[in-house]
Amino acid sequence: MGHEAKPNLSRASPSFRLRNPSLNTLRLRRIFDVFDSNGDGVITPRELSRALHQLGLEADPSELDSTVRSHIRPGKPGLEFEDFVSLHRSLGDSLFGAESGSESESESESDMKEAFKVFDEDGDGFISAVELQMVLGKLGLQEGKEMDSVRQMICSVDRDRDGRVDFGEFKEMMQRVSVPSA
C-alpha cells in the first residue's frame, strides 16, 4: 500500500499559537467549539479526526487516537476544554517549539488582528456589547451573563462613545492588559 502525502505540520502558520496567553485561550475556545460538532462540551477522538479531515489535515488514525486518549481524563468520553488546552500545549511545543519571549511589532499587530476577529463575530470591524457578551459567555465568565457589566466594559475603552469597540480601541485596551504566565 502506498503512503498518502501528509501535510508537514512543522511548517504550520506561526500564528496558530498567539503569543498573548489570554488571546490564545480565546482562540482555543473558538477552535474547541468548532471541533465539538455536537456541542456537548467534549471533543471525542472521532470528532477531532473528522474536523482535521475537513481542514485537509489527514492524520494516522491510531496515532491520533493514542495521542488524544493520553489527554482524556479517566472516566471521560473525550477532551474537555482544559484537556484540549493541554493537548494543544503538548502538540504546540513539539510542532512549533517553545514560545520565545521576543516578538516583533508586526507579529504583535498580527496577533491583535487575530484576537479582534475572535470578538468581532459578524466581521463588521467593531465589537458590540452583544458580541462581547457571547465570547465571555463561551469562556464561562460571569460577566457574560450580565449585559450591564458587558456595557461597562465597552464604555471603559470606547473613546469615541459610539457604543462599540473598533480595532484601535481594542489594541489600546489589550496593550494595557497584563496576564500572568501560566
Side-chain angles (χ1 to χ4, degrees):
M1 298 205 145
H3 294 286
E4 289 183 26
K6 293 183 182 171
N8 184 349
L9 294 178
S10 64
R11 303 181 91 185
S13 165
S15 69
F16 180 75
R17 175 184 283 189
L18 301 176
R19 283 158 288 282
N20 181 310
S22 60
L23 301 183
N24 198 43
T25 300
L26 290 172
R27 189 169 192 193
L28 283 178
R29 183 78 229 188
R30 292 282 299 267
I31 294 168
F32 181 88
D33 290 344
V34 169
F35 284 9
D36 179 17
S37 59
N38 64 358
D40 66 354
V42 173
I43 299 174
T44 64
R46 182 176 172 86
E47 284 175 314
L48 185 57
S49 178
R50 190 176 320 122
L52 291 174
H53 176 74
Q54 290 173 338
L55 292 170
L57 300 172
E58 298 301 326
D60 177 275
S62 62
E63 187 178 326
L64 178 66
D65 190 65
S66 171
T67 302
V68 170
R69 290 197 186 284
S70 72
H71 288 273
I72 297 173
R73 287 180 271 173
K76 301 290 181 178
L79 298 167
E80 293 179 338
F81 180 67
E82 296 77 19
D83 308 322
F84 182 69
V85 170
S86 171
L87 173 64
H88 173 261
R89 190 173 297 127
S90 169
L91 292 176
D93 289 345
S94 66
L95 293 176
F96 308 116
E99 295 182 52
S100 66
S102 66
E103 65 179 288
S104 72
E105 195 171 312
S106 65
E107 288 175 328
S108 177
E109 183 82 7
S110 175
D111 279 357
M112 290 288 179
K113 287 179 182 172
E114 287 292 323
F116 186 80
K117 289 178 190 175
V118 169
F119 289 93
D120 181 19
E121 293 199 338
D122 65 6
D124 68 351
F126 297 95
I127 301 169
S128 69
V130 171
E131 287 171 318
L132 179 57
Q133 184 180 34
M134 286 174 50
V135 173
L136 295 174
K138 286 179 183 177
L139 290 171
L141 299 175
Q142 182 64 32
E143 291 88 345
K145 297 177 183 173
E146 303 165 7
M147 184 52 89
D148 287 341
S149 294
V150 172
R151 286 194 179 103
Q152 286 177 351
M153 293 170 87
I154 294 278
C155 287
S156 72
V157 297
D158 182 18
R159 290 187 321 260
D160 61 8
R161 303 293 179 224
D162 65 353
R164 51 196 187 162
V165 176
D166 62 31
F167 179 68
E169 293 163 339
F170 177 80
K171 184 176 168 183
E172 185 178 299
M173 175 194 69
M174 293 309 296
Q175 289 170 338
R176 292 189 315 234
V177 171
S178 131
V179 178
S181 295

